[in-house]
Each structure stands twice: as structure tokens, then as C-alpha cells.
Amino acid sequence: MDTQRIGIVISSSRPTRIGPKVARWVSTLAPAGADVEIVDLAEIDLPFLAEPEQPATGSYSMPSTTAWSERVRSYDALILTVPEYNAGYPAVLKNAIDTLHAEWKGLPIGVIGYGWGAAAGSVRQLGEVLERVQAVTLAGPGLRFGQDLTPEGEVLEAAPADDVRGLYDQVLAAARERVPA
Ligand SMILES: Cc1cc2nc3c(=O)[nH]c(=O)nc-3n(C[C@H](O)[C@H](O)[C@H](O)COP(=O)(O)O)c2cc1C
């Protein structure tokens, strides 16, 4: 069976964020057959929609856009780890999505929310956006502060590791079924 390349996205960029701890934990649960890589949106540091052409044209003039496009295209699937900011998902993630267009079509994307209430509002909003860009969205488990995760990002015993493994299975299956555009 071919190895699938999966990007585990850190969707927050605050200097004191816990996103890297969550993404690292998710990456440790990857099965054989998944080659996982952390995708840190803080490190990628995209400018806010600075291209003259709309992303739907596919006409990219900025090296940062081209590099982000190539990075996304290098994965068979993504898993987004997503917090909740004022009932929504972080602006840095919206910008990363809006910067590209065709790259998302048909891409399997698993979603794992974390926060109070497992970031349910954020995950709901994100689902609408991923549907619009025609990604194949796969709902993963949420991590609740006080139950699965501390607010400082320490993963607790009750964290749904088996559900994350189940998400990997779904994401890998969707990636194998994907017909290249
Ligand atoms: C601007 C801001 C707004 C927040 N709003 C919410 C919220 O609506 N719901 C929630 O569960 N947590 C909220 N929180 C708390 C976050 O869940 C918590 O800070 C989490 O660690 C954020 O992820 P990060 O550390 O990776 O940035 C908010 C935090 C910030 C910084």
C-alpha cells in the first residue's frame, strides 16, 4: 500500500498558543501508511490577501502564494487542528484558505477542534467554508478543556486517541479514493 502524505495543520499563530502541542499529539497517533508533517501557519506567515488577481484565476505572482500552493499540493490530505476565537476559527486559517482556490477541490480534510466546548462553533463555521471550496471534509473528535486537554495544552488521559486514529483511517481512505484533478 502506498504511503499517504498528511499535513497536520496548526491553525493558530499567537506567541503563547497551545496549537503546536495539540498538533504534535495528533501526529503521534498516525498509523503506518501515513507520512505526517506539521504545517505551522505561524511559520508559513502568509500576507493577508496581497495578490492582485483573485485566487480563483490561479494566477499567482507572489512567491509566498506559490510556495503555499505547492505545499498544499504536496499532501494527499490535511488534518486541521483548530481552536475557537469568539465563536469562530482563527483569521490566519481563513487567510490560508482564501489565499488558494483550486488546491482545495477534492482534498480530504479532517478537522479536530479544541477548546471550551471542543470548539464546536469554530468547527461548524469552518465546515461551511470547506464545503464552499469543495474540500472533502471529515469530522474528527473534539478536545474539551478540562476533560481531554488542559488550557495549557497538556493532553489528558480521557483524550479521544481512538477517535483520532479513526479519523486517520477515514482520511487515508478518502485520499486513496481521490481522483487526481
Ligand atoms: C481571541 C480569543 C478568543 C477566544 N474565544 C474563545 C471562544 O469563543 N470559545 C472557546 O472555547 N475558547 C475561546 N478562547 C480560548 C481558546 O480556546 C484558548 O486560548 C486556546 O488555547 C486557543 O488556541 P491557541 O492557544 O492555539 O491559540 C479564545 C481565545 C482567544 C485568544
Side-chain angles (χ1 to χ4, degrees):
M1 195 192 305
D2 287 348
T3 302
Q4 305 284 336
R5 212 168 115 73
I6 302 185
I8 311 294
V9 178
I10 303 170
S11 308
S12 58
S13 57
R14 300 182 308 121
T16 57
R17 67 210 165 123
I18 65 166
K21 291 182 180 169
V22 176
R24 215 172 300 127
W25 177 71
V26 170
S27 74
T28 64
L29 299 170
D35 170 17
V36 297
E37 183 173 87
I38 301 285
V39 182
D40 184 352
L41 294 185
E43 225 172 72
I44 290 166
D45 196 22
L46 291 168
F48 268 91
L49 289 188
E51 285 279 0
E53 301 291 341
Q54 294 201 12
T57 65
S59 170
Y60 303 147
S61 61
M62 300 177 69
S64 58
T65 312
T66 308
W68 177 226
S69 171
E70 285 171 0
R71 181 99 185 249
V72 170
R73 286 189 189 279
S74 79
Y75 299 110
D76 297 299
L78 296 175
I79 292 180
L80 306 180
T81 61
V82 194
E84 179 165 301
Y85 292 168
N86 298 318
Y89 55 92
V92 71
L93 175 59
K94 184 68 160 71
N95 186 52
I97 295 169
D98 291 345
T99 295
L100 304 180
H101 182 81
E103 292 80 351
W104 306 120
K105 190 172 179 182
L107 183 66
I109 300 184
V111 178
I112 296 177
Y114 61 91
W116 305 106
S122 162
V123 168
R124 192 168 50 244
Q125 289 188 5
L126 182 58
E128 289 178 20
V129 173
L130 294 178
E131 188 180 340
R132 173 59 65 91
V133 298
Q134 298 180 44
V136 175
T137 308
L138 300 156
L143 304 179
R144 285 174 195 276
F145 285 157
Q147 178 182 305
D148 307 311
L149 190 68
T150 69
E152 293 74 37
E154 302 311 321
V155 178
L156 302 173
E157 196 62 36
D162 282 344
D163 293 340
V164 174
R165 291 189 188 98
L167 179 63
Y168 272 112
D169 290 344
Q170 289 182 56
V171 160
L172 288 170
R176 279 193 294 270
E177 280 167 18
R178 188 177 181 196
V179 181

